[in-house]
Amino acid sequence: MTASDAPVPEVSTNARGADGAPTPRTDPPDPFFEYLARVFLGGDSRNEIPLTLSCSGTVVAGIAVPQETWVHLLGEEFREVLPSPVGDDVADGLRTVDADGREREVAARESGAEPAFGYVNLKDAVLVPSGTWLGLWRVRLDRLDGWTLGSIGS
C-alpha cells in the first residue's frame, strides 16, 4: 500500500447545518481527556482541576469539578434566584437526577461495563480572552475540540 492508498482519518470540524446549528460530530471524545476526567472527576471524587477547554471555537477556562459538586452549586444558585419553596424544589430535583445517574453508573460498573462519562463541569468559568464571567458551565465531551491543564486567561 502506498501513502496515497492509506485511509484518510476522519477530521473533526465545527461544521454547521443549514439552520446554523452545529452538526453532530462523528469522532469519539479524546481518549486521553476522557481517561483523565474519569480518574480525577468521576465517581465519588472531590478533586478540582484547573482546565482550559475549546468547544466549537469558544475557549473557556475554569475549575473542573465532579458532577455532584457542580449539581450542588447549581442547586444553590437556584435557591438564591427563585423564591422558596420553588428554589428548594428545583435544587432537590437536580440532586435526584444526579443520584439516579450515579446509580446507573454503579450498576454499569457492577455489570462489567464502562459507564458513560459524557460531560465536563466547570465552576468559576470565564470566556477567554474577554474574561466574561460564566460561573457554572457544562459541556459534552464529544463537543470538545481541545484542552489544556491550567486555567489560562482568567
Side-chain angles (χ1 to χ4, degrees):
M1 174 172 10
T2 66
S4 62
D5 297 328
V8 177
E10 193 168 318
V11 177
S12 170
T13 66
N14 293 327
R16 300 208 174 255
D19 62 356
T23 57
R25 291 173 56 160
T26 57
D27 56 328
D30 178 338
F32 297 109
F33 187 84
E34 188 173 21
Y35 168 77
L36 291 172
R38 187 181 311 281
V39 168
F40 288 104
L41 301 173
D44 294 329
S45 170
R46 298 288 179 246
N47 293 320
E48 296 186 359
I49 304 167
L51 290 175
T52 300
L53 308 173
S54 174
C55 174
S56 300
T58 300
V59 178
V60 177
I63 308 297
V65 295
Q67 180 169 301
E68 184 177 6
T69 301
W70 189 84
V71 168
H72 171 77
L73 293 170
L74 184 61
E76 291 304 309
E77 285 191 4
F78 275 106
R79 280 192 172 96
E80 289 177 18
V81 298
L82 295 175
S84 198
V86 176
D88 293 334
D89 291 345
V90 170
D92 291 343
L94 290 169
R95 281 196 304 275
T96 299
V97 169
D98 183 44
D100 291 347
R102 282 186 279 124
E103 285 177 17
R104 286 191 301 275
E105 188 176 303
V106 168
R109 276 199 190 97
E110 289 173 352
S111 71
E114 192 65 33
F117 191 90
Y119 292 87
V120 178
N121 303 290
L122 297 180
K123 70 175 188 177
D124 302 333
V126 296
L127 287 175
V128 177
S130 72
T132 302
W133 178 257
L134 300 174
L136 296 175
W137 191 73
R138 180 177 184 168
V139 64
R140 285 181 19 189
L141 280 179
D142 64 357
R143 294 289 186 199
L144 289 180
D145 298 314
W147 60 277
T148 188
L149 289 175
S151 186
I152 64 169
S154 58

